[in-house]
């Protein structure tokens, strides 16, 4: 089975500052990794995903994440945040063979202030 | 085109009543997923379909929960004899590939269920 840990429930940051949202996972098999964003009153939207290949993955809205197998991490970063990045961010993992359910972390609320 | 839609967006019901939540996936998407998201938690898998076939229902919490997708498009999640602990956001997602092959799911806005 897989599990995901997002230790930070809330991350406050000022506009134009860099941000890192942490994600660690646990799995006995190889996995795919995802970050989703949830804006108020909207569905989850895929930000980026790691399937294979380069460990640095670039996504939408200037976000990127790096897969670190030895540390079982997939932290999300953005060099300069905007007010509009205020949202809830979910890290998710699934095993990469056959059908395996998507397992989500508890989410991190990013609060960007002026 | 249109995204995944869910109805109703909000549902308030009394304990013991049955509720039916509807999901309309993106046109042509073959797999469909149901999740439940409690307050302060991430979505938890309930069940999924490839076309009209329910492939995995291991996440359904008990036999009061059921789902169907009779024509391989719209799906209904039914909760019988609702209990207060069923209160949550219920999310639907769909994908253009079968569950065994897809790596991107498109989520709907969810149905917020409150059981009084």
């Amino acid at each position: 089975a897989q599990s995901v840990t997002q230790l930070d429930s809330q991350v406050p940051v000022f506009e134009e500052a860099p941000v890192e949202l942490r994600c660690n996972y646990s799995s006995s098999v190889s996995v795919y990794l995802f970050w989703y964003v949830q804006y108020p009153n909207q569905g989850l939207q895929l930000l980026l995903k790691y399937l294979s290949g380069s460990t640095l993955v670039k996504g939408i809205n200037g976000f990127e994440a790096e897969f670190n197998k030895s540390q079982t991490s997939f932290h999300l970063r953005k060099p300069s945040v905007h007010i509009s990045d205020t949202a809830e961010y979910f890290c998710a993992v699934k095993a990469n063979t056959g059908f395996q359910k998507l397992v989500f972390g508890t989410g991190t609320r990013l609060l960007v202030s002026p | 085109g249109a995204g995944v839609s869910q109805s109703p967006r909000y549902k308030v019901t009394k304990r013991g009543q049955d509720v039916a939540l509807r999901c309309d996936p993106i046109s042509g998407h073959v797999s469909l997923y149901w999740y439940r998201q409690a307050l302060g938690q991430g979505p938890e898998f309930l069940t999924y379909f490839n076309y009209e076939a329910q492939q995995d229902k291991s996440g359904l919490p008990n036999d009061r929960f059921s789902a169907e997708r009779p024509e391989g498009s719209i799906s209904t999640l039914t909760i019988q004899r609702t209990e207060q602990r069923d209160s949550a956001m219920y999310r639907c997602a769909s994908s253009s590939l079968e569950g065994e092959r897809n790596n991107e799911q498109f989520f709907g806005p969810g149905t917020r269920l409150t059981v009084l």
Side-chain angles (χ1 to χ4, degrees), chain B residues 105-116:
Chain B
Q105 298 177 19
F106 295 83
F107 284 81
T111 294
R112 168 76 64 191
L113 174 66
T114 302
V115 182
L116 302 176

Side-chain angles (χ1 to χ4, degrees), chain B residues 41-86:
Chain B
Q41 302 294 316
E44 283 186 293
F45 170 82
L46 294 177
T47 185
Y48 96 98
F49 295 81
N50 279 342
Y51 302 96
E52 73 283 358
Q54 190 171 21
Q55 299 290 340
D56 186 325
K57 53 182 181 179
S58 62
L60 296 177
N62 52 60
D63 59 9
R64 294 187 297 105
F65 287 73
S66 63
E68 62 174 10
R69 194 186 186 199
E71 297 179 1
S73 179
I74 293 169
S75 177
T76 303
L77 177 70
T78 301
I79 309 173
Q80 296 179 310
R81 306 180 302 282
T82 53
E83 301 177 4
Q84 287 186 327
R85 60 178 172 157
D86 299 334

Side-chain angles (χ1 to χ4, degrees), chain A residues 41-85:
Chain A
N41 296 317
Q42 295 186 29
L44 294 162
Q45 180 182 4
L46 183 67
L47 267 181
L48 48 78
K49 60 187 176 185
Y50 171 78
L51 304 182
S52 64
S54 172
T55 56
L56 183 63
V57 180
K58 293 190 183 296
I60 61 172
N61 301 341
F63 284 92
E64 63 180 33
E66 184 153 22
F67 170 54
N68 188 318
K69 189 174 182 180
S70 63
Q71 296 186 5
T72 60
S73 69
F74 191 55
H75 300 332
L76 182 70
R77 301 185 184 100
K78 186 169 183 178
S80 176
V81 295
H82 302 291
I83 297 285
S84 59
D85 291 323

Side-chain angles (χ1 to χ4, degrees), chain B residues 88-105:
Chain B
M89 177 73 83
Y90 288 83
R91 296 194 182 274
C92 173
S94 69
S95 175
S96 59
L97 299 176
E98 293 88 347
E100 298 78 9
R101 297 196 293 135
N102 93 76
N103 288 308
E104 181 165 358
Q105 298 177 19

